[in-house]
Amino acid sequence: MLLDQILPCVIIDFETRSQADLPTVGIDNYCADPATGIIAVSAIVCTEDDRQGTLYATNYQADDFESVMRGLADACADAESEGADLTWLAHNADGFDAHILESVRVIGREVFRDYFDPGIPPDYGQWLDSQTLCRIHGLPASLGNAARFLKTPIQKNPIGDKLINKFSKPGFAEPTPADMAEWMTYVTEDSEIVWDILNALPETDLEALEADAVALRQINARGIALDMALVNEAVKLTDKIRRQAHAEVAELTGGVATKYTQLDRRASCRERG
């Protein structure tokens, strides 16, 4: 199994919040925003002797935060001292988690990296990304879809969307202890799903994985050149065609449907002749 190829390893997942909108500003600006902070973290440290792994999970409100972090840091240092390089892995490591670990503070506390010895974790670019692993094996890249395809014992928790919308995005609320309990269930399950995926995948050509990862990092760093004048004209043309289509549908249905997307109203008109 792929999991056995990468032992010892750390599977990690972060939940964050910010007044910056990640899809709009990009990961670098998101991490640099002073309001960006880590809400919760879940990490599974797997070794040759403990393939199933030991879970370390905590959040910025937790009374045991410091002790959990010391335990995680010590477990990582012990794994490194056994001679094999410790593999750090996350689902979307290249697009999110590796950046968060490198420069973002736990809310009201230190930058996450500062809890570890120098060189642990590795720099960005030296992680494995389970999204890339899924793509290489022809699986959906999203964690939830990959889990459904593989029928993993734990499936993606739908409560995540509610939590992220309420507590992670600009204008976020402060989570109550009950909310935080839901966060911890969600972030812990995500780490366990990644473990299940790694345990389900066959041995992998990690050189091919690295080539895919390098190409992705280069694209992310360089960006994609767009002719914005052409893009803006295309948007205007699309809007014009959409308005024309809406007007035609309204005329054909006698105003019952005013948009071509109102399929139920269009069907009602067909039923009435």
Side-chain angles (χ1 to χ4, degrees):
M1 293 300 163
L2 173 58
L3 178 63
D4 298 300
Q5 283 184 271
I6 61 174
L7 294 174
C9 68
V10 181
I11 301 165
I12 196 163
D13 184 56
F14 292 103
E15 299 302 332
T16 62
R17 74 183 187 191
S18 182
Q19 295 297 352
D21 181 54
L22 178 56
T24 301
V25 304
I27 188 61
D28 290 339
N29 291 325
Y30 183 85
C31 290
D33 191 286
T36 301
I38 295 170
I39 297 173
V41 60
S42 173
I44 303 174
V45 181
C46 306
T47 64
E48 296 282 356
D49 296 331
D50 183 16
R51 187 178 183 275
Q52 191 71 30
T54 301
L55 174 69
Y56 300 86
T58 189
N59 64 81
Y60 76 98
Q61 295 181 355
D63 293 335
D64 66 350
F65 177 86
E66 296 294 336
S67 62
V68 171
M69 288 303 303
R70 282 195 300 272
L72 174 58
D74 289 346
C76 293
D78 290 346
E80 285 276 0
S81 67
E82 294 176 2
D85 289 335
L86 183 63
T87 302
W88 285 72
L89 182 142
H91 205 77
N92 195 22
D94 285 329
F96 186 74
D97 297 271
H99 301 269
I100 296 298
L101 185 148
E102 184 68 31
S103 60
V104 174
R105 291 180 178 274
V106 179
I107 297 167
R109 302 178 187 269
E110 302 299 319
V111 172
F112 194 83
R113 171 179 276 286
D114 292 346
Y115 288 95
F116 297 85
D117 293 341
I120 305 174
D123 293 333
Y124 169 74
Q126 299 174 355
W127 289 51
L128 287 182
D129 191 326
S130 49
Q131 271 195 343
T132 305
L133 289 166
C134 287
R135 288 197 299 269
I136 283 178
H137 288 283
L139 298 177
S142 78
L143 187 62
N145 289 339
R148 279 194 292 273
F149 184 90
L150 292 170
K151 297 181 173 61
T152 56
I154 299 174
Q155 292 290 301
K156 185 77 171 175
N157 194 329
I159 202 172
D161 289 340
K162 182 196 82 170
L163 294 171
I164 291 168
N165 287 332
K166 186 173 182 180
F167 301 113
S168 292
K169 295 183 177 181
F172 55 78
E174 191 71 23
T176 66
D179 296 324
M180 192 58 73
E182 291 183 326
W183 264 125
M184 295 312 299
T185 298
Y186 177 69
V187 70
T188 299
E189 288 178 349
D190 272 8
S191 296
E192 292 171 340
I193 291 171
V194 175
W195 188 97
D196 287 333
I197 289 173
L198 297 175
N199 193 48
L201 291 178
E203 289 191 8
T204 301
D205 181 353
L206 294 180
E207 290 186 3
L209 170 68
E210 180 62 19
D212 183 292
V214 168
L216 176 62
R217 291 168 196 145
Q218 289 174 339
I219 291 171
N220 285 342
R222 183 193 64 214
I224 300 174
L226 294 175
D227 184 338
M228 291 309 300
L230 180 60
V231 169
N232 290 333
E233 288 302 315
V235 170
K236 291 178 184 178
L237 180 59
T238 302
D239 288 341
K240 179 180 178 181
I241 294 172
R242 183 183 297 111
R243 289 194 298 271
Q244 290 174 342
H246 289 334
E248 185 175 348
V249 166
E251 182 179 356
L252 291 172
T253 63
V256 174
T258 57
K259 296 180 179 179
Y260 66 82
T261 53
Q262 294 170 332
L263 301 181
D264 54 338
R265 297 185 185 183
R266 288 160 55 187
S268 174
C269 290
R270 284 196 297 270
E271 290 172 1
R272 291 182 299 186

